[in-house]
Amino acid sequence: MIFIEKKLSLKIVNKKEELIFKKIFNLYFKEITKSNYFSSKVIKNNIDKIKINNGKINWILYKNKKIGFVVFYLNYKKLNTYIRDYFIYKKYRKKKIGSLIHKKIILLSIKKKFKFIKIDILNTNKKVIKFWKQLNFKKNGKSYYLKLKK
């Protein structure tokens, strides 16, 4: 399957979709922690934390079909975008979708006149580290950074 960039988009998760998002967020947590269960309280606390900190919860859409999500913060004080969570269903991985969506985040960040994009990655998640390194992110401390060109 070939994915066309024009048919990929980001859309804010609305109130009506929050229950669906919680289920997908639970799948994401299971995958990154290798745990089979998270209480609804843990999921709710994480989502509440995102909202309190003005995080942007977005669906990743292909032809208006939900194929994943990305959560990020726009930090106007430090002039950066912080990617908190990034998830694409397994059947859509390794098809360049992640890098195409990342381009959209770069364009948004440049439009905001930000200087860099930041992401934290679990050290045990070697495949994800490799993915972000391929997108030119460099490790600095516990985080990975992409310096944006002006």
Side-chain angles (χ1 to χ4, degrees):
M1 184 181 299
I2 298 173
F3 288 87
I4 301 166
E5 188 171 1
K6 291 177 187 173
K7 295 186 181 189
L8 277 169
S9 61
L10 295 175
K11 177 186 159 267
I12 296 285
V13 172
N14 66 38
K15 273 276 194 214
K16 292 179 187 176
E17 299 169 318
E18 280 189 14
L19 185 60
I20 297 166
F21 176 74
K22 285 178 184 178
K23 289 178 182 177
I24 297 170
F25 198 72
N26 192 23
L27 285 174
Y28 164 72
F29 257 69
K30 286 178 185 178
E31 186 174 316
I32 65 170
T33 63
K34 309 291 190 240
S35 176
N36 286 329
Y37 177 76
F38 276 95
S39 71
S40 57
K41 185 177 179 180
V42 169
I43 299 300
K44 182 185 180 320
N45 288 344
N46 271 277
I47 293 171
D48 288 346
K49 185 177 178 182
I50 293 166
K51 288 179 180 179
I52 289 167
N53 292 309
N54 294 317
K56 309 295 180 205
I57 304 172
N58 293 270
W59 293 120
I60 297 172
L61 303 173
Y62 182 69
K63 296 182 182 177
N64 293 320
K65 180 179 180 181
K66 295 171 184 78
I67 63 170
F69 69 85
V70 60
V71 177
F72 57 87
Y73 300 101
L74 301 174
N75 188 331
Y76 293 93
K77 289 182 183 176
K78 294 184 179 180
L79 297 176
N80 78 334
T81 299
Y82 171 64
I83 300 172
R84 183 190 188 277
D85 303 291
Y86 203 91
F87 177 77
I88 297 172
Y89 285 118
K90 285 184 180 182
K91 82 180 218 176
Y92 295 102
R93 294 180 191 167
K94 299 190 185 244
K95 298 179 186 319
K96 305 287 183 205
I97 293 169
S99 55
L100 291 172
I101 290 298
H102 178 63
K103 282 182 187 177
K104 292 181 183 295
I105 295 170
I106 288 174
L107 291 174
L108 171 69
S109 300
I110 290 171
K111 186 176 178 181
K112 301 286 183 189
K113 299 189 180 345
F114 288 174
K115 296 182 179 185
F116 62 94
I117 299 174
K118 173 185 172 184
I119 187 166
D120 294 330
I121 306 168
L122 297 172
N123 287 330
T124 55
N125 205 340
K126 304 297 183 199
K127 288 180 184 177
V128 172
I129 290 170
K130 182 180 176 185
F131 168 76
W132 290 103
K133 282 184 174 181
Q134 287 174 342
L135 294 173
N136 297 317
F137 277 72
K138 307 289 184 228
K139 186 171 183 173
N140 187 351
K142 68 173 187 153
S143 300
Y144 290 79
Y145 295 87
L146 176 69
K147 187 174 179 179
L148 298 172
K149 297 175 184 168
K150 295 180 181 181

